[in-house]
Amino acid sequence: GAVVSQHPSWVICKSGTSVKIECRSLDFQATTMFWYRQFPKQSLMLMATSNEGSKATYEQGVEKDKFLINHASLTLSTLTVTSAHPEDSSFYICSAAGQGDTQYFGPGTRLTVL
Amino acid sequence: GESVGLHLPTLSVQEGDNSIINCAYSNSASDYFIWYKQESGKGPQFIIDIRSNMDKRQGQRVTVLLNKTVKHLSLQIAATQPGDSAVYFCAESSNDYKLSFGAGTTVTVRA
């Protein structure tokens, strides 16, 4: 149980394009989903918290207009990196929490912006 | 600001020995602590958690110890196996379900 998937697992795009990453909870309903970014050999940094049907809450320093988050259902959240640039290249990881506060993480999406 | 941190960035352990990974936290309001294992190129995998009203919790081959007096958390892995090689993160939370991660400890198991 408590499986979270992400799609795609990796993506390469040109600078200036937008990329959408999906996060799904496969066997439970996720009241809250979280998006993290992880640079090589670093820890996970929380970008934003999203609750189904409401606007995401962004951490300080994260541009909400650049990282668009939609949490349309209890099993799906999407992160869109708009006008991506090379410095946005990173490992993006989502997590989902059900009724409790344990977060279950997806496998991550490797984004490379050329 | 307050953060969660780890004492050692790397740990090398002989296969079959026990491993101890340490974590220091500074947010006295933290009431929920979790250990995650992350293998290369993958997302974090939940290992074990503990709440602030406990000081010890055991799982399969793993034990988490919490010392609130000195704000210290540790993960003990019994009979370490090659598959235990990974980066281990401690994380803490205080009421809002947001997790703050430590820097991570890389565990390498020697055959």
Side-chain angles (χ1 to χ4, degrees):
Chain A
V3 178
V4 177
S5 70
Q6 282 185 241
H7 177 81
S9 56
W10 60 270
V11 57
I12 301 173
C13 70
K14 292 182 178 180
S15 185
T17 61
S18 294
V19 174
K20 180 184 285 187
I21 303 170
E22 292 186 348
C23 176
R24 294 181 186 271
S25 56
L26 299 184
D27 50 4
F28 68 103
Q29 292 186 324
T31 308
T32 307
M33 286 185 168
F34 304 83
W35 287 95
Y36 296 81
R37 181 167 50 182
Q38 185 179 32
F39 292 106
K41 298 193 183 299
Q42 294 188 22
S43 189
L44 283 76
M45 295 299 294
L46 179 65
M47 299 174 66
T49 303
S50 74
N51 292 291
E52 185 264 339
S54 60
K55 289 184 178 181
T57 302
Y58 291 81
E59 294 300 299
Q60 191 172 6
V62 179
E63 300 174 58
K64 62 180 181 180
D65 294 329
K66 180 169 185 63
F67 299 100
L68 302 179
I69 292 172
N70 183 278
H71 192 162
S73 76
L74 286 172
T75 60
L76 173 64
S77 176
T78 61
L79 167 68
T80 301
V81 183
T82 62
S83 186
H85 289 92
E87 58 266 29
D88 298 322
S89 298
S90 188
F91 194 48
Y92 291 87
I93 309 171
C94 73
S95 70
Q99 293 298 322
D101 49 8
T102 300
Q103 291 185 30
Y104 298 94
F105 284 81
T109 297
R110 174 76 59 193
L111 170 64
T112 301
V113 184
L114 302 177
Chain B
E2 293 181 314
S3 64
V4 178
L6 292 166
H7 290 306
L8 296 172
T10 62
L11 175 66
S12 180
V13 60
Q14 186 68 38
E15 181 178 358
D17 288 351
N18 297 333
S19 302
I20 299 177
I21 306 166
N22 296 303
C23 179
Y25 67 95
S26 56
N27 186 354
S28 57
S30 297
D31 59 1
Y32 179 53
F33 304 86
I34 315 100
W35 281 100
Y36 288 96
K37 172 187 179 183
Q38 186 179 31
E39 296 175 309
S40 181
K42 298 183 179 179
Q45 175 187 356
F46 174 89
I47 300 174
I48 193 168
D49 59 359
I50 189 168
R51 298 196 180 274
S52 58
N53 61 350
M54 302 174 68
D55 54 19
K56 181 179 181 179
R57 192 161 186 231
Q58 289 184 296
Q60 187 176 9
R61 277 202 310 121
V62 294
T63 301
V64 56
L65 299 177
L66 175 63
N67 186 330
K68 294 181 290 293
T69 302
V70 296
K71 298 188 182 67
H72 184 268
L73 186 71
S74 68
L75 176 70
Q76 300 177 3
I77 305 174
T80 310
Q81 303 169 359
D84 294 328
S85 293
V87 179
Y88 289 80
F89 293 97
C90 64
E92 55 90 12
S93 176
S94 55
N95 298 325
D96 61 0
Y97 301 143
K98 293 197 297 186
L99 293 178
S100 177
F101 280 80
T105 293
T106 301
V107 174
T108 303
V109 180
R110 306 188 306 272

